[in-house]
Amino acid sequence: MREPEASSLPRHIAIIMDGNGRWARRRLLPRQAGHRAGLSAARRVIESCVQHGIGALTLFAFSSENWQRPPPEVGSLMGLFMNALESEVAELHKNRVRIRFIGARAQFSTALQQGMHKAEQLTVDNTGLRLNVAAGYGGRWELLQAARQLASEVLAGRLRPEELDEPLLANALSLAGSPDPDLFIRTGGEQRISNFLLWQLAYTELYFTDTLWPDFDAVALQQALNWYTQRQRRFGRTPEQLESPGHA
Ligand code: FPP
């Protein structure tokens, strides 16, 4: 059981960056322009997290379901990811950011897979912000992967079913070693989790804003952080228990 901590800064923020398409449509621009503006917003938010000293940031860049978008849009997103890998990684490294990609990689081009691997290798020893980029990711996919892995451990006689507990399952998931997100942010007005971090969001504070992702900036992040500090995190306990820890 996690101890409730004094709510101050979240240690880990997870974000669904929604609304790029609508941002572009309102400006009579192609959706691709919205995604480009979305990348700039991601850059700004990463910088703000570095400045605030946040421990981890997980961004949902491309879901397993996003492969079903029209091929030209998928193509332009892949081009944008490739450019981002080429142009952003050096600066992130300079800022001591540790980059990790979570999701099913096999569907990405070899060049993209190599770019992801290189970025991870380059930054693996960095001790600043842990930046997790979810690409080809789905929460159910991740749980299924873990179930398969643990089932094969059982089959091989290395694990007994009754030994399986929450830490072991959490350890088989993509964000093993990171604390669960304290704060989840979804921009763009929808109020859903959309198959993001299904296990890890169990006790996370959920913040929804109508702001479209390309408009999300340091001020918008500060508003979310202010909202977070007002939350009382109870982890299943009563308010009285939190006010006086000796309370039965
Ligand atoms: C949702 O907007 C956004 C995405 C599908 C992800 C794209 C994200 C970026 C380009 C930011 C890049 C960030 C990194 C870290 C590489 P939408 O197209 O669903 O918008 P809509 O709901 O308004 O149509």
Side-chain angles (χ1 to χ4, degrees):
M1 182 74 191
R2 290 175 54 169
E3 285 303 310
E5 68 270 26
S7 298
S8 50
L9 274 183
R11 287 171 301 176
H12 182 176
I13 304 177
I15 307 185
I16 296 188
M17 309 176 286
D18 197 11
N20 295 347
R22 279 163 286 163
W23 183 93
R25 199 166 57 231
R26 285 179 194 176
R27 288 163 177 75
L28 305 177
L29 294 169
R31 292 178 62 82
Q32 189 183 354
H35 293 314
R36 272 202 304 273
L39 180 61
S40 302
R43 192 184 299 121
R44 288 195 301 266
V45 166
I46 294 166
E47 275 169 19
S48 292
C49 286
V50 168
Q51 279 160 16
H52 280 292
I54 302 287
L57 173 67
T58 302
L59 298 176
F60 207 174
F62 193 79
S63 73
S64 36
E65 292 75 27
N66 285 154
W67 287 112
Q68 292 156 30
R69 290 199 174 192
E73 179 165 351
V74 172
S76 82
L77 276 168
M78 294 303 130
L80 188 72
F81 294 154
M82 199 65 224
N83 288 342
L85 280 171
E86 282 161 0
S87 62
E88 308 290 336
V89 171
E91 185 66 19
L92 292 170
H93 183 43
K94 220 166 79 190
N95 282 300
R96 299 189 305 114
V97 174
R98 178 174 175 177
I99 307 172
R100 185 154 57 152
F101 293 89
I102 61 169
R105 292 199 195 183
Q107 279 171 288
F108 290 96
S109 70
T110 312
L112 262 171
Q113 290 185 47
Q114 284 170 349
M116 293 181 198
H117 182 70
K118 260 175 68 181
E120 288 176 335
Q121 289 306 307
L122 177 70
T123 62
V124 69
D125 292 324
N126 287 348
T127 53
L129 175 73
R130 278 172 171 259
L131 174 64
N132 307 305
V133 179
Y137 174 87
R140 290 184 177 177
W141 164 83
E142 176 181 53
L143 287 165
L144 199 54
Q145 290 289 112
R148 284 196 187 126
Q149 185 193 318
L150 293 164
S152 56
E153 293 289 306
V154 170
L155 210 59
R158 289 190 290 267
L159 179 70
R160 289 201 313 275
E162 59 276 19
E163 284 172 336
L164 185 53
D165 57 9
E166 290 192 13
L168 265 180
L169 179 48
N171 207 38
L173 300 175
S174 325
L175 293 181
S178 274
D180 288 340
D182 299 303
L183 172 63
F184 161 94
I185 299 173
R186 182 175 187 145
T187 60
E190 307 292 351
Q191 304 203 352
R192 310 188 264 276
I193 304 291
S194 296
N195 203 15
F196 192 34
L197 303 176
L198 294 180
W199 172 275
Q200 298 87 341
L201 292 178
Y203 286 100
T204 303
E205 299 293 335
L206 306 178
Y207 178 83
F208 299 98
T209 170
D210 288 338
T211 302
L212 302 177
W213 176 249
D215 292 326
F216 199 84
D217 56 12
V219 174
L221 179 67
Q222 188 59 55
Q223 281 167 356
L225 294 174
N226 293 346
W227 174 88
Y228 173 79
T229 54
Q230 305 303 315
R231 310 301 304 160
Q232 187 188 47
R233 309 195 67 201
R234 295 206 293 270
F235 298 97
R237 301 181 201 193
T238 67
E240 291 75 22
Q241 282 178 305
L242 294 185
E243 273 152 29
S244 59
H247 199 284

